[in-house]
Structure formats: structure tokens, C-alpha cells
Amino acid sequence: MTSLDDLDDLDGLDDHALAARLAELAGALLLAIRSQGGKEGDRQSNELLLGLLARSRPGDAVLSEESADDPVRLDRERVWIIDPLDGTREYGEPPREDWAVHVALALGGQPAVGAVALPAAGLVLRTGAPPTSPPGTPGPVRLVVSRTRPPACVDLLRTHLDAELVPMGSAGAKAMAVVRGQADVYAHSGGQFEWDSCAPVAVAAAAGLHVSRLDGSPLRYNRPDPYLPDLLICRPDLAAAVLSVLQES
């Protein structure tokens, strides 16, 4: 079982490698306790990540979905933004793979470092050594969407781009589907928070993808209100067409 004793192999890691290792360790823990359900997964993964960050980066602030917000983060240059279990519903439905762990570091509000673990798929995608996103495939644009709550922008994009929908679970899984070449566009307008997108955005940007708000403006993190309602991650060659559709609506 993963524990705080795993700190020894974190010594000397740079921020990119640390984010990846923390996401990997939390993912291993979640796999080991999956039978206990999502609530316990959220709690134990959060406890592990907070403990390891406190010991490996004691001067940094943390914003976590599973912890009370500490306003001290607003005065810090370095803020770790984590989602200990992204996709609690999917995690609770084994053997589904479309759930994730997000570990990101915002530097001056920028998503500079990130790792997204897809533990059930045995993958960690990260900045520092980012994956190379494969080119698009022939055929319709593939639009990855929530399998239960597709946002309002989906019908608009499907109609104007003649897109094919690819249903999937967590935000991190959807974003990484674009990074991995399983989809072409991930657009979300249904409301999210900074921990839902910071790590995926960091990884997607490092992999050469377009990342922005739906109006094309930059994504900023460590804001006083962590609500960040919309997001676009897509192949760069599709960005202009996607943004044109969204801005004309």
C-alpha cells in the first residue's frame, strides 16, 4: 500500500518528475482500494498527495478539490492544484478506465507543470517529457463529450463541424483522449473548477495542442474564485474553426 514512506524516491526530482510520480503513487493507491468506493478513494488519495507535497515542497501552497480552500495560496507564486480522483462515478464502476488523477503546479497563475494519471490504463502523461500528439485521422471530427451530461456547446459544434461524438467519463480522461489522438476536440461549457483542468491543460499545451477558454482567451489559475466554467482543448489545425463556431453562437 502506498504511504508517506514513499517520499524517499521523491528526493531530487524536478517539478515535472515530481508531479508525475505523485500522480502515479495516488493512482496506485486508488487501484488498491477501488473496492472501497469513490468517497474513500477521494479521501485517501487526497491525504496521500497532501502529505507528500507537504514533505517534498513545504514552501508551496495547495488547492485541492477535496480540501478547504486556504486563501494563503493567493499570495504564493507556486501553487499545486490537484484533483485526487477525477471521475468518481467512473472509478466506482470497475473495470472502467476513464477516470484520472490530476497533479499540477501553477506558476504565477500559469499551468506550467502537470501530470495526469490514468491508473486503470497504466498511463501517466506529463509535462517535462510530454507525449507527441498524433496527427488527425481521415473522417469526421471526433468530439469527446460527457457520457452523462453533454454541455450546451456540444450540439452547436456537432452541427457546424459535422462531428462524431465520443462519450467518455472524467475531464482528465477526455482531455487525454485528445492528447493521445483518440479524439480531436474537447470543449466544455457546463462549469468546472481549476482542479478539473489545470493538469490536463498543462499536459495538452506541452504536447502542442491548442488550449484556451471557449472565447479564445487564456486560461488562468490560482484565482480568488477557483470556478473556471469553460475550456477548449483541440488539435491546433482545428482551433480557428472551432473558435469561430463558438464565437458566432
Side-chain angles (χ1 to χ4, degrees), residues 69 73 102 129 137 141 193 222:
D69 189 2
R73 67 180 173 84
H102 299 177
T137 58
V141 171
F193 290 85
N222 195 35

Side-chain angles (χ1 to χ4, degrees), residues 173-191:
K174 289 194 281 287
M176 294 306 98
V178 183
V179 171
R180 298 167 66 191
Q182 299 171 328
D184 304 305
V185 179
Y186 172 36
H188 183 84
S189 62

Side-chain angles (χ1 to χ4, degrees), residues 83-149:
D83 190 341
L85 173 52
D86 177 56
T88 305
R89 181 197 301 262
E90 288 75 25
Y91 175 74
E93 299 177 0
R96 294 194 71 94
E97 296 184 354
D98 50 344
W99 53 278
V101 177
H102 299 177
V103 179
L105 174 64
L107 300 178
Q110 297 295 322
V113 172
V116 177
L118 301 172
L123 294 173
V124 178
L125 297 96
R126 51 164 286 194
T127 58
T132 300
S133 294
T137 58
V141 171
R142 297 164 298 169
L143 180 63
V144 66
V145 299
S146 171
R147 67 189 183 103
T148 57
R149 301 179 300 277

Side-chain angles (χ1 to χ4, degrees), residues 41-130:
D42 277 322
R43 185 189 70 78
Q44 291 195 39
S45 181
N46 188 57
E47 183 179 87
L48 176 69
L49 290 172
L50 292 181
L52 292 176
L53 282 170
R55 293 174 62 180
S56 57
R57 295 292 189 273
D60 295 352
V62 181
L63 172 64
S64 170
E65 179 181 18
E66 300 302 325
S67 298
D69 189 2
D70 185 347
V72 72
R73 67 180 173 84
L74 300 175
D75 298 321
R76 300 288 178 84
E77 174 73 12
R78 294 170 52 90
V79 180
W80 292 88
I81 300 177
I82 63 173
D83 190 341
L85 173 52
D86 177 56
T88 305
R89 181 197 301 262
E90 288 75 25
Y91 175 74
E93 299 177 0
R96 294 194 71 94
E97 296 184 354
D98 50 344
W99 53 278
V101 177
H102 299 177
V103 179
L105 174 64
L107 300 178
Q110 297 295 322
V113 172
V116 177
L118 301 172
L123 294 173
V124 178
L125 297 96
R126 51 164 286 194
T127 58

